[in-house]
Amino acid sequence: MGNPRLLTGIHLMQGQQACAEGALAAGCNLFAGYPISPATEIAEAMARRLPQAGGIYLQGADELDSLTIVIGSVWGGYKSMTATSGNGICLMQENIGYAAMTETPCVIVDMMRAGPGTGIATKSAQGDIYQVRYGSNGDYSIIALAPESPQEMFDLTVEAFNLSEQYRVPAFILGDEILSNLRERVVIPSEVKVTPRRKPTEKPGEGYKTWAVPEGQWVPPMPAFGEGYHMAVSSFARTADGAPSQAYDVQKEMVGRLWNKVEANADKLTRVEDGFVEDAEVLVVGFGSVARSVKAAVRQARANGLKVGFSRLIGIWPFPDQYVARVGKNVKKVVVAEMNMGRVSREVQRCLGRDTEVILSSKPGVAMHTPVEILDQIRKVM
Amino acid sequence: MIKTEEAEVLEHPAIKYFRFGAPGNPHIWCEGCGIGQIWYYTAIAIDELGLDPNSVVWVGGSGCTGRMCTYWKYDYMHTLHGRPLGFATGIKLANPDLNVICHMGDGETSAIGGNHLIQTARRNANVTAICVNNYTYGMTGGQYSPTTPIGSLSATSRYGLVEDGFDLCELVTAAGATYVARSTTTNPRPSINFIKKAIQKKGFSFVEIISQCPTFYGRSNKLGDNSIEMMDWMKKTYVRKEQFDKMSAEERQGKKPWGEFVDTERPEVVSALHQLAKTQREAYRG
Amino acid sequence: MAPKVKTGYRITVNHNYCTGCGNCVEYCPMHVLEKDSKLNKRGVYAPVTVALDKCTGCKLCEMYCGNFSIAVGAKSNADEEGTV
């Protein structure tokens, strides 16, 4: 009898299914979600598979309900996840802010679809880049990873769970509809590295400061309710012992830590795949499904003698500022191919300044870039 | 006449459960507010039941009532406006051994929290909801809420409210709650007893406690700018259910019942989901 | 000589917390309390006992106190000598 959490082997698997399997492998105990295209099948997979692993599926009354249940369960000791699309993320924003403020580890999968508004439920886009990072009020930080294949839907979901535990932030998977329905080879290994929740070293009892950070670390340890630590959990600005505060010094320190615990570690969190960048005159940047066309186009261009390189961003947030500055330093032009009206292209421009020309290759949804379209764009700029 | 200002002051029994350090002296609620009373009813219920306070999690939302949890010495979760019941369901699912108690104001329960209220009742999740109903949004300055009676004056109904309010107990009964009771701050002992039953009940239990807000609702509606006057009004308006049932339609004018309305059994979602997990895990054959 | 026994109750008020709302005075069924005629150091008319011997220890004053200021305890032997 196998381990229900780890279907070790080689599978032909749909992207959404692979995401669910990644969550199980990472130790997810609870999924609460609401049906929404193109993420519904993640909920369906979790409803079927989580009980087999001794876990809980509860269908939220809506996206807000779903994320409140996820966050509450994490404080009860669970690892939990939800999955939705762009319009569901809109509804979740207050809860995302709550999770960021209370440093609640959780995974939120966003299978992006054409927008704005209700958009086109069953067609792809990549329009939620800023929404997952800046959608809630005030200053906080999150982590977001963009898979390009069902294999990465598995791998990066595991990674998201682990990073969210390490940094105590909501971690997003930025997928899209193409990936939702794509079926490809997925290899599930016999062992998966899982980051456990970090508990305090001191014994429970009165006087434990819920938000006190050990020397040299970025985040406090995280006991669960019922373990005797008198936890004061609130999204009010607060001092180390959890008491609400209106003082400037408290706000400055608290917000600074919530922001910098991820942003100051952007280098450690940089995840990219690149090729042919050493002597590139033109760099093509992409992420998610579009990156596959980018890679195909760049390889073809190289075969035709063009000095072009590619950079696939896997970690979108924190944005890999230093990497982009380094790899874009010696190129004349950067093409950013994305299924929106310009998001990552703006970040790339920000990193490179005015000396480098950043050209946006935009397709705002429904159809993804083909390798030929990108190749034409490359030829045009060279 | 014996003065009570002594060198040695006895500690009020709520103090042993009270968290110091949060704003206030000892808390932020106005003179004459009923919330402090209800805080004590909850603490005394936990005490009389002999529960380990480390196993009790208080969950709150926003507003004056939302702050109740921030004074609980043990574990608390101060959540988002209207949403304590969602978070509470999550906490209970992750650790069914915890006693999860939500304190929510009337607006929290029935306006922004309306959907969480009826869903939690429908699911019959094993958490306790205590609704402090003072017919107002106190923290923000006394605006009307979905329980405020028609004709009431408030910060946002200066000409008299043209909408009528929910009967929360009827709403929650229709949604499927298995223990539903209403009391008032003029009935401390029944309030404490209802809360005790609610905590022990295996299912969604809802206790509505009518409370006085002399600062806003009382003053605006000439029901008293102090607790005693408002409590007089409460005593006249709220009549024991057994009495109310026997009253004619004419006698019922201007009166509302209090008491235990529902005490029944229905499948409960937290235990059902854990049972499902156990069954499926055991049946798994790879 | 008759043994000393505990008799009656004592009631104390925490003047740091009392807001002078008067609930305890109003709802004591035995009318043990009245509002002081003088303001206390906090500036409120705090309760004082006028009929402590009538106190039955029902603790309704504690239940009606929204500020956790009034408390009822058993009178210790040191306070009063007497027989029952």
Side-chain angles (χ1 to χ4, degrees), chain B residues 64-269:
Chain B
C64 296
T65 301
R67 292 259 188 162
M68 287 173 79
C69 66
T70 68
Y71 298 107
W72 172 244
K73 192 172 174 180
Y74 300 86
D75 295 325
Y76 78 79
M77 193 170 202
H78 193 195
T79 68
L80 299 168
H81 192 26
R83 317 212 183 271
L85 289 174
F87 289 92
T89 304
I91 297 169
K92 187 75 180 179
L93 279 167
N95 187 347
D97 292 335
L98 295 173
N99 294 289
V100 187
I101 301 176
C102 299
H103 289 100
M104 307 181 294
D106 41 288
E108 180 126 77
T109 303
S110 60
I112 187 169
N115 202 23
H116 294 286
L117 178 72
I118 59 175
Q119 298 299 327
T120 314
R122 175 188 62 79
R123 291 172 183 145
N124 195 27
N126 190 8
V127 299
T128 302
I130 298 172
C131 173
V132 175
N133 190 354
N134 55 15
Y135 300 131
T136 196
Y137 283 105
M139 185 64 85
T140 43
Q143 298 78 29
Y144 69 89
S145 89
T147 62
T148 309
I150 196 166
S152 297
L153 294 171
S154 74
T156 43
S157 61
R158 295 254 172 246
Y159 311 107
L161 187 57
V162 302
E163 310 165 35
D164 206 352
F166 279 125
D167 180 325
L168 288 177
C169 290
E170 285 184 1
L171 177 68
V172 123
T173 302
T178 48
Y179 180 76
V180 181
R182 176 188 291 137
S183 184
T184 68
T185 49
T186 48
N187 290 294
R189 185 29 71 177
S191 298
I192 295 164
N193 289 343
F194 294 167
I195 294 174
K196 283 165 80 171
K197 280 179 96 162
I199 293 172
Q200 291 193 295
K201 181 77 183 180
K202 188 162 175 284
F204 181 61
S205 31
F206 183 82
V207 180
E208 177 189 358
I209 304 187
I210 309 299
S211 178
Q212 70 278 11
C213 172
T215 308
F216 293 116
Y217 192 72
R219 253 193 312 185
S220 303
N221 293 283
K222 307 263 187 287
L223 295 172
D225 65 353
N226 60 76
S227 53
I228 294 165
E229 279 175 37
M230 277 204 80
M231 282 157 114
D232 268 348
W233 155 76
M234 229 186 268
K235 279 189 172 171
K236 290 197 199 90
T237 311
Y238 284 89
V239 164
R240 258 208 184 269
K241 173 177 168 286
E242 292 74 25
Q243 257 180 281
F244 186 85
D245 287 344
K246 295 200 196 102
M247 288 161 105
S248 68
E250 211 179 277
E251 288 170 323
R252 285 182 186 186
Q253 287 304 310
K255 305 246 186 273
K256 293 185 195 170
W258 70 269
E260 289 172 298
F261 299 107
V262 175
D263 188 354
T264 184
E265 307 296 328
R266 267 179 72 232
E268 190 276 318
V269 74

Side-chain angles (χ1 to χ4, degrees), chain A residues 114-128:
Chain A
T118 314
I120 307 169
T122 51
K123 294 292 182 193
S124 197
Q126 293 179 318
D128 299 341

Side-chain angles (χ1 to χ4, degrees), chain A residues 15-65:
Chain A
Q16 291 178 80
Q17 176 90 40
C19 173
E21 294 302 331
L24 282 158
C28 179
N29 304 103
L30 179 143
F31 180 95
Y34 193 76
I36 183 170
S37 302
T40 307
E41 282 151 284
I42 299 176
E44 290 179 357
M46 295 303 262
R48 186 172 52 84
R49 293 277 292 121
L50 256 176
Q52 292 173 347
I56 309 253
Y57 170 86
L58 180 58
Q59 197 155 291
D62 52 37
E63 284 82 354
L64 286 94
D65 188 35

Side-chain angles (χ1 to χ4, degrees), chain A residues 217-229:
Chain A
Q217 292 178 31
W218 283 101
V219 291
M222 188 175 175
F225 288 146
E227 291 179 350
Y229 286 94

